[in-house]
């Protein structure tokens, strides 16, 4: 059995390091913000570091580590789910010239996190499956079903060994005929899917932004919660029985039941905490949070000046304003 390394090129080292540094920095920032005194971050923000960590772990597990030619098969070494190609299926093998993958389109896979791998398309090769850690010194293998591109080191010796063990031809008309035909306009499907997904996400974000709160004020015997594009929410002062700023203990067990937690500080909908039970949240900044207990339930808002807001509400209720903490 012969083994072949797959060394990284400079571009892969930089792109992988940059992703890991940004992910670690974001995770550290989220931890510092979450442990601060202003209350919990929106749920999507908390999920971003976990999502980046999962992406990095999966990319590492599926990235090519090297290649081997052994009894009856070619093997792409990976931490998870190694890929195997029976030697009897190989119909062509060659070392690709420099720039052979130029203008390739990634259909799905990794384009620079621990490796370049997945399904790609180019005008020269058609559809192909890539398992590489550099953009030069590449090898093409053709079977009856797929075209494969690898990055073994050294590439020429890898090709010679495959040719010695498999009924392959190097290149030319026979090799081209053995490979799969290039599909017509293969970019239409991924571009169409990406466009549809993008439009769907844009529509959801626009609707969520329209209902997002942006300010709160006391006017005309009411607490008026203004929203960005939708009409305001109004709470009659006559229904308010309590107003106070939330303490750290009120955030224990804080969780969203239904509603929206946008990236940034905007959050609204039905929430719950161990101390407060269920409540309606209208937040457009991280805090401080102020609780309004009403006849219809509890409401939490994030006024720009919480002391002035609490004083105005208490004045509307005929009560003395609170002493500053």
């Amino acid at each position: 059995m012969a083994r072949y390394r797959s060394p990284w090129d400079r571009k892969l080292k930089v792109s992988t390091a940059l992703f890991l540094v940004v992910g670690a920095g974001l995770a550290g920032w989220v931890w510092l913000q979450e442990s601060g005194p202003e209350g919990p971050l929106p749920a999507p923000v908390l999920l971003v570091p976990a999502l980046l960590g999962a992406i990095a772990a999966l990319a590492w597990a599926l990235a090519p580590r090297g290649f081997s030619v052994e009894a009856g098969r070619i093997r792409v070494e990976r931490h998870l789910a190694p890929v195997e190609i029976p030697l009897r299926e190989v119909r062509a093998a060659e070392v690709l010239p420099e720039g052979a993958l130029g203008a390739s389109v990634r259909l799905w896979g990794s384009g620079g996190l621990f490796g370049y791998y997945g399904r790609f398309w180019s005008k020269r090769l058609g559809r192909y499956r890539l398992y590489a850690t550099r953009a030069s010194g590449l090898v093409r293998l053709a079977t009856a079903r797929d075209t494969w591109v690898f990055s073994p080191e050294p590439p020429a010796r890898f090709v010679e060994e495959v040719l010695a063990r498999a009924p392959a031809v190097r290149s030319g008309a026979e090799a081209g005929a053995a490979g799969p035909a290039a599909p017509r306009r293969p970019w239409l499907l991924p571009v169409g899917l990406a466009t549809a997904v993008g439009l769907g996400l844009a529509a959801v974000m626009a609707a969520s932004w329209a209902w997002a709160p942006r300010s709160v004020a006391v006017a005309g015997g009411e607490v008026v919660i203004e929203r960005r594009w939708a009409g305001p929410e109004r709470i009659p002062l006559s229904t308010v029985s309590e107003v106070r700023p939330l303490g750290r203990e009120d955030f224990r067990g804080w969780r969203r039941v239904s509603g929206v937690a946008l990236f940034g500080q905007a959050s609204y909908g039905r929430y719950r905490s161990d101390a407060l039970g269920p409540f309606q949240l209208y937040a457009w900044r991280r805090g401080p949070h102020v609780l309004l207990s009403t006849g219809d339930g509890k409401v939490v808002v994030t006024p720009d000046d919480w002391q002035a807001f609490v004083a105005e509400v208490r004045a509307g209720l005929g009560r003395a304003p609170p002493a500053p903490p």
Side-chain angles (χ1 to χ4, degrees), residues 302-323:
T302 56
D304 295 333
D305 186 339
W306 75 267
Q307 291 178 322
F309 175 76
V310 171
E312 289 181 12
V313 173
R314 285 180 174 262
L317 299 177
R319 301 174 186 174

Side-chain angles (χ1 to χ4, degrees), residues 40-56:
L41 289 166
V45 177
L46 298 177
L47 292 176
V48 169
L51 178 61
L52 293 179
I55 291 173

Side-chain angles (χ1 to χ4, degrees), residues 75-284:
R75 183 181 174 93
V76 181
E77 303 291 349
R78 304 196 295 179
H79 293 285
L80 179 67
V83 178
E84 296 182 352
I85 306 171
L87 280 167
R88 66 177 181 275
E89 296 183 3
V90 177
R91 298 293 179 265
E94 65 172 338
V95 177
L96 290 173
E98 294 293 323
L101 303 187
S104 289
V105 177
R106 180 176 53 180
L107 304 180
W108 65 265
S110 172
L113 181 60
F114 294 102
Y116 314 103
Y117 58 92
R119 293 189 178 271
F120 290 72
W121 177 90
S122 74
K123 185 176 181 180
R124 174 173 181 166
L125 299 178
R127 284 182 182 266
Y128 63 93
R129 297 179 65 175
L130 177 65
Y131 292 96
T133 54
R134 62 181 187 269
S136 60
L138 301 174
V139 166
R140 180 184 75 93
L141 301 178
T143 67
R145 294 178 295 176
D146 287 301
T147 295
W148 306 78
V149 177
F150 299 154
S151 61
E153 179 62 34
R157 193 173 75 188
F158 178 86
V159 169
E160 292 297 333
E161 182 155 4
V162 171
L163 291 172
R165 298 189 182 211
V169 294
R170 286 184 183 273
S171 59
E174 293 183 33
R184 187 178 182 183
R185 297 180 180 178
W187 49 269
L188 287 178
L189 178 59
V191 170
L193 290 175
T195 302
V197 170
L199 290 175
L201 290 175
V204 171
M205 291 297 293
S208 300
W209 188 254
W211 290 84
R214 60 184 179 88
S215 65
V216 64
V218 179
E222 295 177 320
V223 174
V224 182
I225 302 170
E226 297 286 351
R227 294 183 291 190
R228 295 194 177 275
W229 296 340
E233 288 287 333
R234 301 180 182 275
I235 304 173
L237 286 174
S238 59
T239 66
V240 177
S241 59
E242 179 190 18
V243 56
R244 65 175 177 86
L246 295 186
R248 187 66 184 176
E249 66 281 358
D250 293 312
F251 295 104
R252 188 176 62 254
W254 183 292
R255 56 194 178 277
R256 182 177 54 171
V257 177
S258 64
V260 174
L262 298 173
F263 287 100
Q265 316 302 340
S267 304
Y268 61 94
R270 298 297 300 174
Y271 282 68
R272 174 182 289 274
S273 77
D274 295 343
L276 300 178
F279 60 91
Q280 184 76 27
L281 175 66
Y282 296 99
W284 52 95

